[in-house]
Amino acid sequence: MKRVVAAVALLAALAGTGAFVLVSLGLVSIGASSGHWKATGWVLHYAMRRAVSTQSMGIKVPPLDDPALVLKGAGHYHTSCLACHGAPGEERSLIVQQMTPEPPFLPPRIEHWEPQELFWIVKNGVKFTAMPAWPAQQRDDEVWALVAFLQAMSNMSPKRYRQLALGGQVDQPAKPVTPDHLRPLQDPLGPVLANCSRCHAEDGGGRGEGAFPRLAGQNEAYLLGALQAYASGKRHSGIMQPIAVRLEPDVRKALAQHYAELPPVSRTDAPEPLPDSLAQGRSLAERGVRERGIPSCVHCHGPKESPRNSMYPNIAGQYAPYLKLQLELFTSGKRGGTEYAHIMHSAAQRLTPEQMQALADYYASLPAEETAARGKPALTLNRREPIRPEPSAQDASNQQQR
Ligand code: HEC
Ligand code: HEC
Ligand code: HEC
């Protein structure tokens, strides 16, 4: 018996030394050009499937049939996943097809995965492949939006995909994503705004459903603060952070000014809330709940006549689902925000889910207010400096800190 053990140990040691010598001599094939051997590819993918299956056990799947989730997921998929995975009617980039392992064309693959497995993959990414993890690990709600979209994508027509991902720009001919430095420099804001419009709509009113907040008529200082908070990683969103981090500071300013000057638009497909809920929301907003330390919201968010701090967002006429989501994020400490966000973390801390719903419904039912920015001369989009192609060194270090 002893001899057998000794022989096995010797063999293992020899194999280990042999492998180390191969690696040291630089003889291991690491070139992506040669691809994997069939066996290696199979083993790696098998290991990935098994790990995902085991490690996603116990993840509870929330309801995913809300059209707002699908819309939100589609907008992000187009920004961040399309180049590697393609979509109905859209091919993968030729460059990513030279990766090893090659990212699969995704639509036909979705049916092989359970929703909790898709959630796990999108949230955690896959080591030793190019599959990235979700940029804001706090935001499980956003990852679920992607899962809702992926499930809908498995049998989606190219036309429907473009409607969801591109919004009003659906009639424009399909074209590959142009790198910033190849875009016309005379109109630096144009292409940036076109991208914002896919989700926030050209008039800044969001796209119905409440997947994306209304920006039109919001306070300029708040909008700028929000973009800076996303860019520096102080406000957490895997959807908005990668977008904001790529904007130069003066472009952020111009965008904040642009949206602040647009007339507020109210657009919602949601059913009217019950009068009882509205009355409860109104009384909470006006009086708060003193014994539980919940302040009056009206004091900072209106409606009231006296001027308010311009870092306090206008929330009247905002989409109810967006307001409720932000309150939930504040309550669980996951939202982050500008240097003023701590105020809201304590204001929202003790709200119950019913109170959040009532407050969201009440503010959504109010007419959107005009802000001081309205009536100023319209922004001309051509007067800005050209946008630099690469993120600045500061942005890059921000990204590393995260
Ligand atoms: C830089 C390229 C890249 C990007 C960007 C990327 N992925 Fe992937 N993804 C991969 C690669 C490579 C694999 C294959 C992993 C493997 O085979 O183990 C993969 C695998 C997957 C899978 C499992 C597919 C299967 O059947 O094996 C899903 C689902 C997925 N990605 C979703 C997404 C989503 C959603 C996004 C956007 C948020 C995204 N990926 C962004 C490269 C990418
Ligand atoms: C892929 C869709 C998408 C695109 C493109 C997009 N946004 Fe957003 N935006 C969102 C979502 C989703 C949120 C809410 C994120 C959260 O929960 O924090 C948001 C939030 C915001 C907010 C915060 C609003 C508030 O009330 O706090 C601002 C400001 C904003 N976006 C500006 C922009 C600008 C400017 C652009 C273009 C450069 C842009 N967005 C492009 C989806 C998008
Ligand atoms: C003392 C002032 C103050 C009070 C009181 C207050 N808020 Fe806020 N609220 C803020 C500030 C400041 C922000 C912006 C946080 C940031 O900069 O990211 C905010 C943000 C919000 C947002 C997110 C808006 C968006 O566009 O993302 C919602 C929703 C909100 N508050 C609802 C409420 C409700 C409901 C109450 C009452 C229970 C309340 N607030 C009480 C100051 C206040």
Side-chain angles (χ1 to χ4, degrees):
M1 184 63 192
K2 259 191 191 161
R3 272 202 198 155
V4 177
V5 173
V8 170
L10 184 67
L11 273 180
L14 276 179
T17 317
F20 184 72
V21 169
L22 269 184
V23 171
S24 301
L25 290 176
L27 294 177
V28 174
S29 153
I30 55 139
S33 56
S34 56
H36 281 314
W37 289 336
K38 265 223 161 75
T40 322
W42 184 87
V43 169
L44 288 178
H45 194 68
Y46 178 75
M48 179 254 196
R49 284 204 75 97
R50 292 306 312 141
V52 170
S53 162
T54 302
Q55 292 172 38
S56 65
M57 271 194 288
I59 296 178
K60 255 190 84 201
V61 182
L64 295 176
D65 49 4
D66 180 355
L69 286 179
V70 177
L71 188 61
K72 196 188 268 196
H76 181 73
Y77 188 90
H78 199 78
T79 324
S80 301
C81 323
L82 180 69
C84 280
H85 288 301
E90 312 258 350
E91 244 322 310
R92 287 164 300 165
S93 122
L94 189 59
I95 292 171
V96 311
Q97 293 180 44
Q98 315 310 315
M99 288 174 171
T100 298
E102 187 184 323
F105 180 69
L106 221 40
R109 303 285 284 239
I110 299 302
E111 59 179 13
H112 301 299
W113 299 101
E114 298 293 327
Q116 69 274 15
E117 295 178 324
L118 290 171
F119 173 87
W120 194 97
I121 296 172
V122 178
K123 179 163 181 191
N124 298 296
V126 183
K127 260 187 206 158
F128 306 124
T129 78
M131 176 62 203
W134 192 253
Q137 288 285 308
Q138 299 90 339
R139 295 294 303 269
D140 285 0
D141 62 295
E142 291 183 332
V143 179
W144 284 118
L146 258 285
V147 175
F149 165 73
L150 290 176
Q151 291 198 311
M153 178 176 74
S154 66
N155 53 10
M156 190 177 274
S157 72
K159 182 160 175 246
R160 179 79 185 129
Y161 173 77
R162 294 180 63 76
Q163 273 170 349
L164 285 170
L166 300 182
Q169 298 157 43
V170 67
D171 295 330
Q172 291 167 13
K175 54 177 184 310
V177 182
T178 318
D180 285 344
H181 62 285
L182 298 180
R183 286 173 174 159
L185 296 179
Q186 295 78 4
D187 179 19
L189 268 194
V192 181
L193 263 181
N195 187 38
C196 313
S197 309
R198 287 196 298 118
C199 297
H200 295 289
E202 209 161 326
D203 61 7
R207 290 182 55 194
E209 321 264 17
F212 309 114
R214 169 176 68 80
L215 304 179
Q218 184 56 277
N219 295 330
E220 182 176 340
Y222 172 74
L223 288 174
L224 181 59
L227 288 173
Q228 282 163 345
Y230 285 128
S232 65
K234 293 198 176 100
R235 183 167 169 187
H236 317 297
S237 166
I239 300 177
M240 273 309 295
Q241 280 179 241
I243 293 173
V245 89
R246 301 208 54 196
L247 302 171
E248 289 291 316
D250 59 342
V251 174
R252 272 179 222 146
K253 259 205 179 108
L255 288 167
Q257 191 185 348
H258 169 74
Y259 282 112
E261 285 169 357
L262 290 177
V265 199
S266 276
R267 173 188 301 137
T268 174
D269 312 335
E272 279 284 303
L274 299 171
D276 277 359
S277 169
L278 282 187
Q280 191 206 354
R282 177 176 183 164
S283 118
L284 274 170
E286 284 173 356
R287 288 197 288 274
V289 187
R290 199 165 306 151
E291 62 280 12
R292 292 186 47 217
I294 297 172
S296 120
C297 322
V298 175
H299 181 65
C300 298
H301 293 294
K304 66 171 189 176
E305 289 300 317
S306 47
R308 302 193 302 269
N309 185 326
S310 60
M311 288 302 283
Y312 298 171
N314 283 325
I315 57 174
Q318 183 60 277
Y319 294 99
Y322 172 78
L323 293 176
K324 173 142 185 277
L325 174 64
Q326 299 302 310
L327 288 173
E328 285 166 354
L329 292 170
F330 279 126
T331 312
S332 54
K334 290 177 180 165
R335 181 178 181 277
T338 69
E339 65 268 37
Y340 292 85
H342 62 278
I343 306 177
M344 269 311 294
H345 278 112
S346 48
Q349 207 177 44
R350 292 185 191 80
L351 292 171
T352 65
E354 296 73 43
Q355 288 172 331
M356 291 185 216
Q357 184 69 57
L359 282 162
D361 285 341
Y362 167 64
Y363 271 106
S365 74
L366 296 176
E369 296 164 278
E370 300 264 322
T371 54
R374 290 273 294 133
K376 280 208 273 181
L379 179 78
T380 49
L381 295 183
N382 291 340
R383 62 159 201 244
R384 299 276 155 182
E385 299 283 302
I387 298 165
R388 287 225 305 276
E390 293 303 323
S392 65
Q394 190 200 348
D395 284 347
S397 76
N398 286 335
Q399 255 166 339
Q400 276 158 11
Q401 280 162 18
R402 253 179 277 129

